[in-house]
Amino acid sequence: MIEKKFLVLILSVMFGFMLAFSEIYQYYFYQNDAEIGDIIVEFDVTNYLGKTTSIFNIGGNTLKFVSETKYDDSWMFQQYSLDIFVDEQKQGTLVSTYNGKRIKNQFNGINLKNYNVENAIILDNNLILDHIFALYYKNLPEGKYSAFVPYLSLNQTTWNNAIVEVEIKYKDPQNFVILSMGLAQNVAFQDGKITKFEIPSQSLEVTMHKKEQKAKDYIEKEVVFESFDSFKLEGSLMIPKEVVKNKKTSAIVLVHGSGSLDRNETMGILTPFLHLSEGLAKEGYIVLKYDKRNFTMAKSGQDFSQVMPEAFIKDAQAAIRYLKTLPEVDKDKIIVIGHSQGASFLPYIIEGEEVFAAIALSPALLEITDQMVYQVEYQIDYYKKQNINNSLDSVIEMLEDILSEGKKVNESMKKGEIDPNELYLDNYRGEFLIQWSELSRNMVEKFVNVDVPLLIINGTKDLKTPYELLKEYEKELKKKNDLEILYIEDMSHELVNFQTLKFEDKVVDQIVLWLESQGL
């Protein structure tokens, strides 16, 4: 009979031996040298198991992704689960299983699109780093491989792109590059662990060492102000440190595009209003940005299906009026900057509000259902020109399906046959779409009749409000003497460089130069 103390000793030694093969690593995630999150990876080489927890603080919200991946002894994934949280509220669980030939997917028990693909590797978005560990241990030779990106299978608009071609190139056995969709992901290993992961074109970097953060040039305050119906809008007021006490300063309101967007217009890793607001604050402007009411309602679990476009206009007007109450603000020098939908709504927003100037970033110029059809037709034409090796066939097919549906909606709108209570294009209630259609008619005329100086900026790689459309109406728009139009090369609709996805600093530069020309 083994004595208890020896049994405890044996178990302790065995347990310690087992733990030696399961390592936990801490990483820090940076974009443009600003820390936006951290990542914990647990990797078990004996049991072929990887776990990653990624926590990102983006646009005032906390996104958390908790994953577990089971591999076979060749490091091919067999099962993957991903729990998604927003501000600690669980949104659901994605489960993917793979038998080497077919990938099956479910979200909260609901079947999603499945994929027939052999010998696929797994590389999910949201920096699930244990997938990179598995790739390292799999020790693949240089070459091209099919990769499964589970996160893209969640959405109907992206699930046809969940299987992508990646190319692996080695600098040396410990350093390699993953090339995918035009992006280079640089990976560095040392002693069996990732020491650095970066996507240079997006200024993204994951490192084991915490960086010293630079001091901000502005003070950012959380604010709450009421809209027309007493709804409380939450936002950030950014005040440059150089603002002299008792001296009033020019101020800017940022108005979002369509969708349920936070104050930074967060769209995945893109946060255009974060960079725009920081750039303008550094130039000495007070900036107010706020969460859209549908975002605030969704965050607290409220139903926002009854929110109408006019509410977004009145919310922006409430933001202007709030700025005028602040002692730091020169109420005669308030500028309104709208992006996409917010740009198109500018003529309504500034009406009667006595602002100094308005700036429209990537505005739609057509009635909204006309614009949707134009946009998708433009995208199909664009991707067909890029589809040299048929790699974009699935994207084009998806867009053609969207176009077919869009044309039906467009025709119904013209005939007055939109049912206010029906859902259209998988997203819009008929009542919402009808009001948006009414607001978006004769937009060129409305811009011409704006009674303050107006700047319009568009990117030459905008696939949603293409610059060619703006060019078509440029002569008519310039009937307004104090209207200026600027084009930024290679900028997309989201105010980022089309290739690198990095925020286009020229937006800030051009806005500041134009405001200076207006006497600010």
Side-chain angles (χ1 to χ4, degrees):
M1 181 175 179
I2 302 175
E3 293 186 20
K4 181 184 285 188
K5 63 179 181 179
F6 289 113
L7 179 60
V8 171
L9 179 61
I10 291 169
L11 289 175
S12 299
V13 171
M14 288 176 63
F15 188 61
F17 178 76
M18 290 170 63
L19 282 180
F21 292 94
S22 181
E23 298 286 350
I24 297 176
Y25 306 102
Q26 166 87 50
Y27 296 94
Y28 303 95
F29 178 37
Y30 297 89
Q31 185 172 34
N32 294 313
D33 289 326
E35 185 178 344
I36 59 174
D38 54 70
I39 303 165
I40 303 291
V41 179
E42 182 177 351
F43 200 70
D44 187 340
V45 295
T46 58
N47 293 306
Y48 302 99
L49 181 68
K51 298 179 181 180
T52 298
T53 299
S54 304
I55 302 174
F56 308 135
N57 298 304
I58 299 176
N61 302 107
T62 301
L63 307 180
K64 183 166 75 170
F65 303 93
V66 180
S67 74
E68 179 177 286
T69 312
K70 296 177 181 178
Y71 305 89
D72 65 15
D73 57 9
S74 69
W75 291 106
M76 179 182 289
F77 98 92
Q78 294 179 313
Q79 182 171 313
Y80 173 67
S81 66
L82 178 70
D83 294 328
I84 304 168
F85 299 83
V86 177
D87 294 332
E88 295 302 321
Q89 297 294 315
K90 188 173 180 179
Q91 307 299 303
T93 301
L94 169 67
V95 176
S96 302
T97 57
Y98 186 41
N99 63 5
K101 293 184 178 181
R102 184 172 175 82
I103 299 171
K104 296 182 179 181
N105 301 289
Q106 287 189 337
F107 184 71
N108 289 344
I110 299 172
N111 291 327
L112 302 176
K113 184 178 176 69
N114 299 325
Y115 304 93
N116 294 317
V117 56
E118 292 189 9
N119 302 316
I121 59 177
I122 185 169
L123 287 172
D124 206 359
N125 288 345
N126 308 309
L127 296 173
I128 307 300
L129 291 186
D130 70 86
H131 295 168
I132 307 295
F133 273 86
L135 200 59
Y136 171 78
Y137 280 95
K138 196 172 180 64
N139 197 25
L140 290 171
E142 282 194 345
K144 295 181 179 180
Y145 300 90
S146 294
F148 172 51
V149 185
Y151 198 70
L152 296 182
S153 70
L154 283 171
N155 191 306
Q156 188 175 356
T157 62
T158 59
W159 64 25
N160 284 332
N161 303 316
I163 303 296
V164 299
E165 183 181 82
V166 301
E167 184 174 5
I168 298 174
K169 292 185 176 181
Y170 288 91
K171 297 178 181 178
D172 59 54
Q174 300 296 310
N175 295 272
F176 57 94
V177 181
I178 304 170
L179 297 167
S180 174
M181 295 182 287
L183 293 178
Q185 303 171 60
N186 299 332
V187 184
F189 270 82
Q190 185 176 341
D191 299 327
K193 63 179 179 291
I194 297 172
T195 54
K196 192 173 185 179
F197 173 88
E198 60 180 355
I199 306 177
S201 63
Q202 296 181 4
S203 300
L204 298 178
E205 181 182 3
V206 175
T207 176
M208 300 189 83
H209 306 291
K210 205 172 181 69
K211 293 184 178 182
E212 184 177 345
Q213 296 295 288
K214 297 178 182 176
K216 293 181 178 179
D217 298 318
Y218 56 87
I219 298 167
E220 186 166 354
K221 299 179 179 179
E222 284 289 315
V223 296
V224 178
F225 57 95
E226 289 191 354
S227 192
F228 68 100
D229 56 355
S230 299
F231 185 89
K232 288 181 170 54
L233 294 164
E234 301 171 355
S236 299
L237 184 69
M238 302 167 73
I239 304 174
K241 289 182 178 178
E242 66 185 38
V243 170
V244 180
K245 192 174 182 180
N246 299 323
K247 181 182 177 182
K248 294 185 181 294
T249 303
S250 303
I252 293 171
V253 175
L254 301 183
V255 185
H256 334 64
S258 61
S260 178
L261 296 172
D262 65 12
R263 66 196 70 180
N264 289 323
E265 266 200 330
T266 302
M267 298 169 275
I269 64 169
L270 303 181
T271 52
F273 274 11
L274 172 64
H275 302 293
L276 180 59
S277 60
E278 287 182 338
L280 293 169
K282 288 176 183 177
E283 292 291 339
Y285 293 94
I286 293 173
V287 181
L288 174 62
K289 55 186 181 179
Y290 58 94
D291 298 332
K292 283 184 80 170
R293 68 164 55 210
N294 50 358
F295 175 85
T296 300
M297 294 172 73
K299 189 169 68 169
S300 60
Q302 298 179 60
D303 176 19
F304 59 85
S305 63
Q306 302 302 312
V307 174
M308 300 293 285
E310 283 184 352
F312 304 139
I313 292 169
K314 292 178 180 179
D315 288 346
Q317 291 174 329
I320 296 169
R321 294 169 192 169
Y322 171 72
L323 274 181
K324 289 182 178 181
T325 67
L326 302 178
E328 308 95 332
V329 172
D330 185 338
K331 65 181 182 180
D332 296 321
K333 293 181 179 177
I334 291 176
I335 303 100
V336 184
I337 300 178
H339 178 216
S340 191
Q341 184 191 70
S344 299
F345 286 170
L346 277 177
Y348 301 102
I349 293 168
I350 65 176
E351 187 176 2
E353 294 301 326
E354 297 183 1
V355 300
F356 181 82
I359 298 170
L361 305 176
S362 308
L365 298 178
L366 304 178
E367 181 276 330
I368 189 57
T369 62
D370 284 338
Q371 183 78 36
M372 289 174 176
V373 170
Y374 180 95
Q375 168 187 314
V376 180
E377 287 179 336
Y378 183 91
Q379 291 172 0
I380 290 171
D381 183 60
Y382 174 84
Y383 285 118
K384 280 183 176 179
K385 290 175 182 176
Q386 309 299 314
N387 194 25
I388 298 171
N389 58 0
N390 299 321
S391 62
L392 298 172
D393 283 351
S394 61
V395 176
I396 294 167
E397 183 181 343
M398 175 190 70
L399 288 170
E400 286 174 340
D401 289 343
I402 294 172
L403 178 60
S404 176
E405 186 64 25
K407 284 183 174 180
K408 291 176 185 176
V409 173
N410 182 242
E411 185 177 350
S412 296
M413 185 66 73
K414 285 177 166 51
K415 292 180 178 179
E417 297 175 351
I418 295 291
D419 185 334
N421 299 311
E422 286 292 320
L423 195 65
Y424 294 89
L425 302 172
D426 296 327
N427 195 29
Y428 300 108
R429 281 180 61 248
E431 186 181 10
F432 183 96
L433 209 52
I434 290 168
Q435 189 177 103
W436 194 357
S437 173
E438 292 170 349
L439 290 168
S440 59
R441 292 169 189 169
N442 305 312
M443 286 310 307
V444 172
E445 181 184 343
K446 288 183 173 70
F447 278 126
V448 171
N449 291 328
V450 164
D451 61 0
V452 298
L454 176 65
L455 172 65
I456 299 177
I457 296 178
N458 223 101
T460 63
K461 289 291 187 180
D462 191 326
L463 301 186
K464 296 180 180 176
T465 56
Y467 85 101
E468 290 92 338
L469 185 61
L470 182 57
K471 284 275 189 184
E472 185 180 332
Y473 287 100
E474 188 169 323
K475 185 176 180 180
E476 190 174 347
L477 285 163
K478 286 192 172 179
K479 289 178 181 178
K480 176 176 168 60
N481 294 328
D482 55 356
L483 180 148
E484 186 171 350
I485 298 174
L486 297 172
Y487 301 95
I488 295 179
E489 284 294 321
D490 295 326
M491 186 177 79
S492 76
H493 188 74
E494 293 75 21
L495 312 182
V496 298
N497 181 277
F498 188 75
Q499 294 296 329
T500 66
L501 300 184
K502 192 173 181 180
F503 177 76
E504 186 52 78
D505 292 326
K506 289 178 184 176
V507 177
V508 174
D509 297 339
Q510 295 295 343
I511 288 173
V512 171
L513 286 171
W514 183 76
L515 289 176
E516 287 175 352
S517 75
Q518 301 301 311
L520 290 184

